[in-house]
Amino acid sequence: MSTTTDVTQRITLLRDWLAHRLAAEQLAWIDEQCTRIATSPAGSALPVAIGLASRRTGKQPLMLSDEERAAAEAARPGLDTSAWSVEQVARILFVLASYAGAEDSFAARLGARVRSGEIGEQVALYHGLPLYPQAVSVLATAAEGIRSAVQPIYEAVAHRSPYPSEQFSEAMWNQMVVKALFIGSTLAPIQKLDERRNADLARMLVDYAHERWAAGRTVSAELWRCVGPFGDRYMDDLLRVFESPSNVERQSAALALSECPDPDALVVLESDPALWRNIRNGRLDWHTLKQA
Amino acid sequence: MPYIDPHTHMISRTTDDYEAMAAAGIVAVIEPAFWIGQARTNVGSYRDYLSHILGFERFRASQFGIQHYCCIGLNSKEANNEALAEDVMQILPEFASKEGVVAIGEIGFDEQTALEEKYFRLQLDLAREMDLPVMIHTPHRDKKRGASRSMDIIMEHRLAPQRVVIDHVNEETVREVKERGFWAAFSIYPHSKMTAPRMCEIVRQYGAGQLIVDSACDWGISDPLSVPKTAMLLAEQSISDNDVHRVTYANALTAYGQSGQMREADWATAAIDQRARYDGNTVLRGGQDPRVEADN
């Protein structure tokens, strides 16, 4: 549970990032909006400031320095701003500036802002999920984001964020992972993907692979990453992928087999000594696997 | 030749239309807020409509390499529901300040009632406050008087005519619109409003300087390819390439570019990327290969 103190610290953090990147008059505009928003959190100042932010600050990538990144990590473990831009920081800052203490209907206000936002605004507000007070209270809004068919919006929630792994139930988590494959997104940027693997997710993904194969289609090689630890139930499928003519698919099956509890997995891996050696010495892992 | 269709209700159109529009050379469209074929009963559905045209519809257009912009406003038909109109006026400033909003519109008269006039005037003030251009819907019935009244009121509210587009203009209204210094936009419909052969005559008579061609395609019988088709017809009728370019591209960009929200660079550098797929109400059904162009 975040307190008002946390919010104040986070406001300072974000404002410092802007201070190093904006001209004096731009920063003055930001401060003026924050004051107006804090004075009347439910008024029109917040929506208008969020709307105008991009034309006031520009949309350049944030690109934190090493020192700034270290400070961010200290303030909020897991925070990853590598896909953020400057106007997004301003928009998140405005939302935080509207927080008026524990009794405040902050979550309802955030939900309303997201629902009325154009795509750029929604991406910004979803990037802010790890920074909002009372993280549990904004869960319904986060859930809306991973239901979105608009890829940038989905990814603003699911990718490079500690929020989903901290807050999502297993059912929500599983929907999020499967949804990524359905909208042509990727799994690698999902934080704690390995830690949150579970039997039900493995089953859903294997069912999905069967569905695709039956229709003569391919599946993303990343899928097998979530199947490996439960691979003893799906040895036939892993073998099929291992024997695929595609190098990426073969490598993905080998990586899954390397985590598979079935004793036969080792036998399969030893049939390709060079590949098995690359996995053992860390030269091949899910991050170095070339995505087709 | 690239085209802009500065009046489309894409929320009512199919992906087949988007594909055909892109193939015909349309690079950008403007979606003015309007009536959806039946009356809305509350501000909630109006709010959802505005965020839909600013959100999902813009994303849908981007799948086909088309840049999508909006005009925000309370249309004249629904201005007659005073309770709804009051509520909608409260949310307009928030939506008008969003990225990609190029004008307040389409606003103006339908039946020319007192309520229509009240909310028309309020929105002209909003346009001035927000420093946005205006798109004017001229009425289908009693058009000539409705257009004149609209222009009188705009001048009363001290808006610069070169920041206002008068739409659905025809032979009866074009002279006044042009002489008073407004942009004159023509909606080319298969069966009503304006047709391409008549448009050729108008360009000949009045010159291409202030004229704009659009399709106003919506949920009715209308043609999302009106702009490129009209351009071809104009060219066949020996209208110069430069004049064709002005009425089907450059004038719309000049008029709505005054918002600061619409620039040629928005589409000159945009690559089509269909990898951002849908599911559920899917755009790319399974098995279709996405079309991806390298960003150059």
Side-chain angles (χ1 to χ4, degrees):
Chain A
M1 178 75 84
S2 289
T3 63
T4 305
T5 316
D6 283 334
V7 174
T8 309
Q9 281 173 347
R10 287 167 186 184
I11 285 173
T12 306
L13 184 78
L14 268 57
R15 191 192 173 279
D16 285 350
W17 294 346
L18 293 177
H20 288 107
R21 287 162 180 80
L22 298 178
E25 67 271 16
Q26 289 173 302
L27 197 64
W29 182 81
I30 298 274
D31 288 340
E32 186 197 338
Q33 304 311 305
C34 287
T35 306
R36 290 176 57 200
I37 292 162
T39 309
S40 175
S44 62
L46 177 63
V48 171
I50 290 172
L52 295 177
S54 58
R55 68 195 81 170
R56 293 295 187 145
T57 68
K59 296 187 190 182
Q60 56 278 25
L62 179 61
M63 294 200 290
L64 292 183
S65 67
D66 291 346
E67 296 79 23
E68 286 173 321
R69 238 194 322 275
E73 179 64 30
R76 176 56 170 99
L79 188 70
D80 179 348
T81 63
S82 56
W84 292 21
S85 49
V86 170
E87 101 281 358
Q88 294 174 355
V89 175
R91 284 168 168 163
I92 296 165
L93 178 63
F94 294 151
V95 175
L96 289 173
S98 79
Y99 181 65
E103 298 306 303
D104 182 34
S105 53
F106 177 86
R109 191 160 54 244
L110 176 72
R113 287 304 95 236
V114 167
R115 280 191 297 277
S116 294
E118 48 83 38
I119 295 173
E121 294 171 22
Q122 290 195 49
V123 168
L125 300 186
Y126 279 130
H127 274 166
L129 279 170
L131 295 172
Y132 300 138
Q134 297 153 330
V136 178
S137 69
V138 298
L139 193 56
T141 298
E144 277 302 306
I146 58 158
R147 280 184 203 116
S148 176
V150 180
Q151 193 173 335
I153 291 175
Y154 166 88
E155 290 178 353
V157 179
H159 283 181
R160 301 177 186 85
S161 169
Y163 188 89
S165 64
E166 290 169 2
Q167 299 297 335
F168 285 8
S169 66
E170 185 172 283
M172 279 173 80
W173 180 265
N174 292 355
Q175 283 296 322
M176 179 182 83
V177 173
V178 176
K179 178 88 174 184
L181 299 177
F182 268 83
I183 63 170
S185 185
T186 53
L187 304 186
I190 298 176
Q191 287 192 10
K192 309 275 190 208
L193 184 68
D194 288 341
E195 290 85 340
R196 297 259 348 224
R197 291 182 295 196
N198 61 80
D200 207 35
L201 177 60
R203 180 195 54 76
M204 286 163 81
L205 292 170
V206 172
D207 282 351
Y208 168 67
H210 288 179
E211 205 178 287
R212 299 275 302 174
W213 288 343
R217 300 186 180 121
T218 57
V219 295
S220 163
E222 279 194 298
L223 180 154
W224 304 107
R225 181 173 175 180
C226 299
V227 176
F230 309 94
D232 51 327
R233 304 171 205 184
Y234 309 110
M235 282 303 282
D236 289 352
D237 298 302
L238 291 175
L239 270 174
R240 170 184 172 154
V241 181
F242 186 78
E243 281 154 14
S244 152
S246 148
N247 203 27
V248 173
E249 287 197 23
R250 184 179 178 83
Q251 290 176 345
S252 69
L255 283 166
L257 286 163
S258 74
E259 293 190 276
C260 174
D262 192 308
D264 285 345
L266 193 59
V267 179
V268 178
L269 286 165
E270 281 170 345
S271 70
D272 191 337
L275 177 57
W276 181 214
R277 195 165 44 248
N278 278 341
I279 293 173
R280 282 204 314 277
N281 63 24
R283 261 206 295 272
L284 175 66
D285 61 23
W286 289 107
H287 294 282
T288 56
L289 179 77
K290 286 275 177 293
Q291 286 305 308
Chain B
M1 208 191 273
Y3 304 109
I4 293 170
D5 190 341
H7 190 138
T8 63
H9 300 283
M10 297 314 295
I11 197 169
S12 304
R13 310 301 304 194
T14 65
T15 54
D16 285 359
D17 289 336
Y18 270 126
E19 278 189 329
M21 290 164 90
I26 294 173
V27 292
V29 297
I30 297 174
E31 176 134 5
F34 196 53
W35 188 60
I36 47 172
Q38 73 171 40
R40 275 167 283 226
T41 57
N42 67 87
V43 69
S45 51
Y46 216 97
R47 179 181 278 281
D48 290 344
Y49 167 78
L50 295 177
S51 51
H52 187 140
I53 61 175
L54 277 160
F56 192 64
E57 200 53 53
R58 185 180 303 166
F59 182 63
R60 219 164 65 100
S62 75
Q63 302 294 284
F64 300 91
I66 294 178
Q67 291 286 314
H68 181 281
Y69 305 89
C70 293
C71 310
I72 294 296
L74 170 68
N75 64 78
S76 47
K77 280 178 187 283
E78 283 164 308
N80 290 299
N81 175 345
E82 192 169 10
L84 174 73
E86 278 304 313
D87 288 347
V88 171
M89 287 309 300
Q90 296 305 307
I91 67 168
L92 287 185
E94 166 197 335
F95 282 99
S97 62
K98 289 187 191 298
E99 222 176 289
V101 175
V102 296
I104 297 295
E106 52 185 299
I107 59 171
F109 286 118
D110 178 43
E111 297 169 40
Q112 303 186 49
T113 63
L115 279 174
E116 288 175 16
E117 182 172 333
K118 173 187 173 184
Y119 292 106
F120 179 34
R121 288 177 180 274
L122 285 169
Q123 291 183 93
L124 291 172
D125 291 341
L126 177 66
R128 212 184 40 247
E129 277 164 43
M130 310 279 313
D131 200 23
L132 279 171
V134 181
M135 183 196 287
I136 300 294
H137 164 93
T138 51
H140 304 296
R141 300 171 302 283
D142 196 14
K143 183 182 284 287
K144 200 168 164 66
R145 177 167 163 270
S148 286
R149 263 185 84 192
S150 300
M151 289 183 272
D152 292 345
I153 291 168
I154 292 163
M155 297 316 286
E156 246 181 80
H157 284 252
R158 300 177 179 282
L159 270 75
Q162 67 271 20
R163 292 176 60 84
V164 180
V165 178
I166 310 292
D167 214 330
H168 314 320
V169 173
N170 61 16
E171 288 88 344
E172 295 300 301
T173 54
V174 57
R175 177 176 298 280
E176 186 187 352
V177 171
K178 184 172 190 286
E179 284 175 356
R180 296 180 79 169
F182 293 87
W183 295 99
F186 297 81
S187 304
I188 313 293
Y189 266 42
H191 303 310
S192 63
K193 291 192 177 167
M194 174 56 60
T195 59
R198 286 161 56 205
M199 190 67 217
C200 289
E201 283 310 308
I202 289 170
V203 175
R204 273 209 191 86
Q205 198 176 334
Y206 294 95
Q210 286 162 244
L211 311 188
I212 293 172
V213 170
D214 64 59
S215 75
C217 63
D218 60 8
W219 33 259
I221 296 172
S222 46
D223 185 357
L225 299 182
S226 276
V227 173
K229 283 178 182 173
T230 304
M232 283 166 70
L233 200 81
L234 292 171
E236 280 167 19
Q237 300 283 318
S238 323
I239 306 282
S240 77
D241 284 354
N242 187 44
D243 282 352
V244 174
H245 184 67
R246 287 207 283 179
V247 300
T248 58
Y249 180 93
N251 289 349
L253 180 56
T254 303
Y256 294 106
Q258 295 175 102
S259 63
Q261 293 296 292
M262 183 179 184
R263 296 175 196 84
E264 204 162 26
D266 294 349
W267 55 85
T269 57
I272 297 172
D273 187 348
Q274 283 194 300
R275 285 166 303 189
R277 294 190 212 188
Y278 295 67
D279 70 339
N281 44 3
T282 183
V283 164
L284 283 176
R285 300 288 175 186
Q288 272 182 279
D289 283 329
R291 181 177 42 150
V292 178
E293 286 178 9
D295 213 333
N296 41 19

